[in-house]
Amino acid sequence: MILKRVLAFALFFAAFALNFTLSTTLKLAAQEPLQAMPYSPSLDVTSLDRSVDPCVDFYKFSCGGWEKNNPIPADQAGWSVYAKLGNENQQFLWGILAEDAKAANRTPVQQKVGDYFAACMNTDAIDALGEKPVAPELARIDGLKTRAEVLAALVRLHHEFPGSFFFGSGTGQDAVDSSVVIVELGAGGLGLPDRDYYTKTDEKSVKLREQYAAYIARLLGLTGESAEQAKADAEATLKIETVLAKASLTRVERRDPHKTYHMETIAELGKLAPSIDWPLYFKVQGAPGVASVNVAQPEFMKAVEAELGTEDLGALKGYLRFHLLTAAAPYLAHPYEQANFDFYSKTLRGVPAMPPRWKTCTRAVDRSLGEALGQEFVRRTFSADTKAKTQRMTEQIETAMQHEIEGLDWMSPATKAEALRKLHAIRNKIGYPEKWRDYSALEVKPDDYMGDAMRSYRFENARRWAKLGKPVDRDEWGMTPPTVNAYFNPQMNDINFPAGVLQPPLYDPKEDDAPNYGNTGATIGHELTHAFDDEGRQFDAKGNLRDWWTPEDAKRFEDRINCVRDQYAGYVIVDDVHITSKLTSGEDVADIGGTLLAYIAWKKQTEGLTLAPADGFTPDQRFFVGMAQWACENQRPENLRVSAVTNPHSPGFARIDGVVSNMPEFAKAFGCKAGQPMVHAPMCRVW
Ligand SMILES: [Zn+2]
């Protein structure tokens, strides 16, 4: 009941704000599937705020109008150009899924995505089941009598259920030999977004831990636990997680790949954490006979051992029950889903209202069957022309990077040769995978949502463990095609741009080169620069962790990174919380380098052409406005607080102002003078 009131209030507010900016029909249209992707240009004059001086705050100048025109929807923690496009993708996929759910003569791919969606949409059936889908497993945990039984259950839970049970395990490329797939054990076991949430003593952090304990008790109470028992289990869970958190590396420490690389034999692992029968553990996961493992965080595994070896049995069981439930909650009846939303979205991120069911279900299909749904998406949205043009843009930006490296005055020829070798080995992956993942072994039923979710989880788990002993699949993608994002993978040494991110207003076939190179070009440059940021530079052309820098060059690089760190540490995220620039420096350097590379590539592309001004901007100004407008956003303060701890990216305004203030090309385009805020001194430039 309380939720309904909040929801009505939030919708009223949103509608009120929209009256001044967008038509209300657009608001209503947001509740219908989209038959085609809507269009907005990559340089949008309605997003500007021309009352702001571009030399004082270029982000505000480029995005002030967008901020006013795009209030945060009630079901979102924040809203941005990327998030809005992501939402439109989902709305478009919704129509496809609704059709695939009921169409006759479906292809096998359409059957899977359609039935998964139908099962998720059938909330009456899901609600009628209550906690039944997890009841047998909860009863098994309840019935555990000895420590040995608890440990055996932990091993089995890791194989059968999603959930953060003490630690994580899986497969990955060996950091020093990227051609080999190895087993990795990682830190985990926490219900809050980061270890820092358990260690900080400020008022807001203390209160949040109380609210988290209340959530744990609420969830356990829903299964019929007495209030007293649920409270005790919540306290025990928080106590166990605090021990694990304190033994976990910080996010900044984890950016150092040497700190998370510790190969150990199974015998050595057995000495580190003797409570678990490791040969049995890996056999149960589907990987018998594992000889050695990367124990990413040995100190953390010691803490796990201490907990498993000495913690009260009742406490361990309460912890397992909670982690099983909190992972299953989104797939269970409404009260579970609501409790999960109330803590993780409302309390933690300030989101007033649950997303509509279609959105929850579209996301669920993307998560579980991403490359099946992706085929449906790509077929309808991604043209051969866009693929060819963005491929060409990528090659031009790589050429710009080559010339930059060749021309650096601070880098020795020996390091340059290695850098160029690495640059030329980078693979460009654009749009979608060469070969689609085969889901034929995965059973999907139209009336069994939890079953579908668990079968998909086990299917994916098995797929990952099966990589052991096989050559690395260089064609694999880490994002699904509709995703509005991009990435660089240092071990694959590849840059990846899903079809979802190569659409208007990011890549706009209707616009000329200036805003497109500013926007998508800078994104391509961003991912490419990751290969040479403070983390990426530690990997070589083969994707191996190997120091290819002379000590002098490494020192000069670090000096340049420190310039960027000092600059960004000055920006405030929310209240009095500054950017943790040791966490964000890789992204900040990628933003600065990426924009410069895109600018150089654009200049080359338009060499000899006479470019006309438009919208009151010179061509150079249009490049920069196009660049800035990818980052327009509004964020709830609660979400900004989460970002400050967990997000390696700086907030939108810093990603624009931090970049342009380091570019004389920008200052020249807008006539900015030394001493103005958008002319940073000293100018920080790495690449
Ligand atoms: Zn990045």
Side-chain angles (χ1 to χ4, degrees), residues 318-380:
Y319 171 91
L320 292 179
R321 283 169 60 88
F322 165 66
H323 277 281
L324 177 79
L325 265 180
T326 192
Y331 307 99
L332 288 170
H334 183 71
Y336 292 89
E337 196 197 5
Q338 184 75 60
N340 190 266
F341 170 85
D342 284 349
F343 180 69
Y344 285 107
S345 295
K346 194 182 281 181
T347 302
L348 204 53
R349 295 188 156 85
V351 182
M354 233 189 226
R357 189 69 186 174
W358 67 262
K359 208 182 277 188
T360 302
C361 294
T362 305
R363 284 183 195 146
V365 180
D366 182 53
R367 252 195 329 270
S368 292
L369 291 160
E371 288 194 15
L373 184 58
Q375 297 177 42
E376 297 282 88
F377 180 77
V378 163
R379 191 151 64 80
R380 292 165 171 89

Side-chain angles (χ1 to χ4, degrees), residues 283-337:
K283 189 172 166 222
V284 170
Q285 310 313 313
V290 169
S292 58
V293 181
N294 175 25
V295 182
Q297 300 190 30
E299 290 306 313
F300 174 83
M301 288 310 290
K302 282 185 201 163
V304 168
E305 172 59 30
E307 282 302 311
L308 295 179
T310 60
E311 187 60 75
D312 172 72
L313 282 192
L316 292 174
K317 285 160 67 174
Y319 171 91
L320 292 179
R321 283 169 60 88
F322 165 66
H323 277 281
L324 177 79
L325 265 180
T326 192
Y331 307 99
L332 288 170
H334 183 71
Y336 292 89
E337 196 197 5

Side-chain angles (χ1 to χ4, degrees), residues 526-527 530 587 590 649 655:
H526 172 105
E527 300 310 337
H530 271 317
E587 298 297 340
H649 303 90
R655 298 190 69 177

